[in-house]
Amino acid sequence: MREVDVMGVRVEMPSNSPIVLLREVAGDRYLPIWIGAVEATAIAFAQQGVVPPRPLTHDLLKDLLAATGHELSEVRITDVRDGVYFATLVLSSGAEVSARPSDSIALALRTGSRIVCSEDVLDEVGLAVPAEQEDEVERFREFLDQVSPDDFESPEPPSSSS
């Protein structure tokens, strides 16, 4: 397993699909994972320190863990099959719970837990970014500084006329 950092979320064009971008801590590989708009917002909120007036689902999970005396030890991104990623929440008790990576990342950011990715996943779908392409990564980071969770809201469906 290799530790990864969350670089941020963005909307991929032209599909208008949100992605979360992870970066290998001790390496040069990046892992883009396409996620839902709700999860993108949850990740962006956590990164920006936004505290909603009422707990969102990931805040609830964090509070539930704390209330039952458990901690999230780490998140493991374990597999990718047919473009679908799989993750495991590892609790301090040793219990493991299967989860979507997007939910797992949102929870890890709220709890300060470590995120790791299997070497096999990084080998299969990780993107190596050579040093000369770091400028592009820096532009992505600048974009992340500008993005708002509101950017991930679903557009209103067109109204129908009868």
Side-chain angles (χ1 to χ4, degrees):
M1 293 295 221
R2 305 288 297 229
E3 188 170 1
V4 294
D5 282 333
V6 180
M7 300 301 297
V9 291
R10 69 172 283 187
V11 176
E12 183 67 26
M13 294 306 203
S15 66
N16 207 28
S17 299
I19 64 167
V20 61
L21 184 65
L22 307 176
R23 181 175 191 247
E24 185 178 25
V25 170
D28 63 353
R29 292 179 288 188
Y30 289 79
L31 184 65
I33 301 176
W34 277 257
I35 61 176
V38 172
E39 293 78 14
T41 300
I43 291 168
F45 273 6
Q47 286 194 304
Q48 295 174 4
V50 174
V51 179
R54 298 288 299 142
L56 299 176
T57 304
H58 302 97
D59 302 308
L60 172 66
L61 287 172
K62 175 188 166 211
D63 294 346
L64 183 62
L65 285 172
T68 59
H70 293 88
E71 291 180 9
L72 179 60
S73 297
E74 73 180 9
V75 164
R76 295 179 184 159
I77 299 172
T78 56
D79 199 7
V80 60
R81 285 177 269 168
D82 298 323
V84 177
Y85 290 80
F86 296 82
T88 301
L89 302 173
V90 180
L91 305 181
S92 55
S93 66
E96 296 185 4
V97 179
S98 178
R100 297 183 307 179
S102 56
D103 290 324
S104 303
I105 292 165
L107 185 58
L109 289 172
R110 283 165 171 74
T111 60
S113 303
R114 185 170 100 119
I115 303 171
V116 296
C117 184
S118 85
E119 189 74 40
D120 289 342
V121 170
L122 284 167
D123 286 345
E124 183 178 338
V125 293
L127 306 170
V129 178
E132 61 270 8
Q133 291 183 3
E134 282 295 319
D135 287 345
E136 181 69 26
V137 174
E138 187 55 39
R139 285 195 294 277
F140 179 71
R141 286 187 188 129
E142 289 171 10
F143 167 82
L144 294 175
D145 290 339
Q146 309 289 328
V147 74
S148 153
D150 295 336
D151 295 334
F152 300 103
E153 291 181 6
S154 298
E156 294 284 329
S159 58
S160 58
S161 310
S162 297

